[in-house]
Amino acid sequence: CEAREKRIHPFKDDKIITDWNALMISALSRASQVFEKNDYLSAAEKSVNFFFENMIDNNGMLLHSYRQGEASINGNLDDYAFIISALIDLYEASFKTEYLTKALHLNSELIKRFWDNRNGGFFFTSHEAELMIARQKEIYDGAIPSGNSAEMMNLIRLGRMTSSPELEHKAFETSRAFSRQLSASPSNFSYALCALDFAFGPSNEIVITGGTDSEVTKQFILSLKEFYIPSKIVILNSGDEIKRAAPFLVNQIQIGGKPTAYVCRNYVCSLPVNKIEDFKKLLKKL
């Protein structure tokens, strides 16, 4: 080791890349729920806040790379799609409405900047990027998901979280744009198939209505962590801010003035429950 330290060290690629870090934020957010590790959640929040503080330009464009205090290169589809996915995961881990609001805003920007108005689906580069002979539009899922597959999942999750048929319709338009490829070789598009599985269901919508300082509300949230329910969205209905993002929540009220859980499948809900035991019984059936 001492002899090696005397040699000239190779250069290091120490730049911060948006899409790769976004995947890590998603992993930390999900791991924080499974293992109940607050330090994982803190790391995820610190990371995502870094991007919003340092990697959004004056025109609201997400940037791709950061090194030595300077962010550069316009973000590509993967950057946007993976950060949006990370924000959704972070919302479901923390239930801080700001993350869902930011996900919805970035999703609007993604559609505006990358959507192919002629054939559907999303280009890899934005409409503001340098003109090329041909613009790449890919859905192949390799070591990491493609931007189109990730965005299909985002559109479905955000559509369910906000009860927005327009967002879900955009996901189906994306799947139709690549339908020939998906049909010919489905195993090459694993995450796109996950998105379609979520879309066609059965999938679940879970709403917990109650204050964040309530012990019963906290017990409802902890109970969720005991069950593996992959195709689901979870909303904490805790105030006016979340209702602005998801207006349908005005109907998901507390019953008897107590924190209440609503468990739904494809928008058809079971009777609301106030007791943890009843909530767990509903979750076991999913």
Side-chain angles (χ1 to χ4, degrees):
C1 290
E2 292 179 6
R4 186 180 293 116
E5 285 300 315
K6 296 176 182 178
R7 300 172 187 165
I8 297 174
H9 285 215
F11 290 113
K12 293 180 181 177
D13 185 354
D14 58 357
K15 60 183 178 291
I16 296 169
I17 302 295
T18 300
D19 51 352
W20 293 352
N21 275 272
L23 291 170
M24 190 64 205
I25 293 167
S26 283
L28 287 167
S29 299
R30 295 189 178 201
S32 74
Q33 298 176 73
V34 174
F35 300 111
E36 296 183 33
K37 299 277 286 185
N38 287 330
D39 53 337
Y40 291 176
L41 180 59
S42 296
E45 291 190 281
K46 186 176 180 181
S47 298
V48 86
N49 290 335
F50 171 89
F51 285 102
F52 280 94
E53 290 169 5
N54 297 282
M55 301 190 71
I56 304 286
D57 71 11
N58 294 331
N59 298 315
M61 169 71 85
L62 182 66
L63 299 173
H64 174 68
S65 176
Y66 179 94
R67 184 174 185 272
Q68 296 183 348
E70 183 178 345
S72 61
I73 309 173
N74 289 347
N76 57 50
L77 175 61
D78 290 4
D79 295 320
Y80 276 83
F82 294 170
I83 278 285
I84 293 165
S85 181
L87 286 164
I88 299 170
D89 289 331
L90 194 48
Y91 169 75
E92 290 192 340
S94 68
F95 293 112
K96 293 182 181 178
T97 306
E98 63 184 279
Y99 298 130
L100 180 57
T101 302
K102 286 177 177 178
L104 289 165
H105 170 72
L106 274 183
N107 198 67
S108 296
E109 290 294 307
L110 185 157
I111 294 170
K112 180 175 72 176
R113 297 176 188 273
F114 295 88
W115 179 251
D116 180 356
N117 289 306
R118 177 177 294 180
N119 300 307
F122 297 94
F123 291 113
F124 183 73
T125 54
S126 74
H127 302 317
E128 295 95 335
E130 180 183 356
L131 290 177
M132 301 180 181
I133 296 174
R135 291 175 70 186
Q136 184 180 0
K137 193 169 66 173
E138 183 60 74
I139 199 169
Y140 172 73
D141 297 318
I144 61 175
S146 67
N148 271 286
S149 295
E151 179 57 10
M152 279 175 61
M153 182 68 86
N154 293 339
L155 289 164
I156 294 161
R157 293 174 76 188
L158 290 174
R160 300 286 170 89
M161 295 175 99
T162 60
S163 192
S164 170
E166 293 82 5
L167 291 177
E168 289 198 59
H169 180 68
K170 212 73 172 176
F172 288 121
E173 284 188 279
T174 303
S175 71
R176 281 193 291 270
F178 297 100
S179 59
R180 184 176 297 177
Q181 293 163 261
L182 292 170
S183 299
S185 182
S187 61
N188 289 326
F189 313 104
S190 53
Y191 200 64
L193 296 183
C194 290
L196 289 172
D197 180 67
F198 198 132
F200 289 111
S203 58
N204 304 280
E205 304 85 38
I206 300 169
V207 177
I208 298 170
T209 300
T212 53
D213 56 347
S214 164
E215 285 302 317
V216 178
T217 301
K218 292 176 184 177
Q219 285 302 312
F220 276 131
I221 294 170
L222 284 172
S223 297
L224 266 174
K225 299 175 182 179
E226 298 177 20
F227 299 86
Y228 177 65
I229 311 168
S231 293
K232 74 177 186 306
I233 59 96
V234 184
I235 295 276
L236 179 62
N237 184 11
S238 58
D240 293 335
E241 188 180 0
I242 188 64
K243 291 185 179 72
R244 285 192 287 273
F248 78 94
L249 292 175
V250 297
N251 299 313
Q252 312 289 334
I253 61 174
Q254 292 190 96
I255 305 299
K258 300 177 181 178
T260 303
Y262 295 80
V263 178
C264 313
R265 172 164 286 189
N266 298 331
Y267 299 112
V268 178
C269 298
S270 303
L271 291 174
V273 294
N274 294 119
K275 296 180 179 179
I276 302 299
E277 315 85 73
D278 294 334
F279 183 49
K280 289 184 179 182
K281 287 178 183 177
L282 291 174
L283 295 178
K284 285 179 181 178
K285 296 177 182 178
L286 299 180

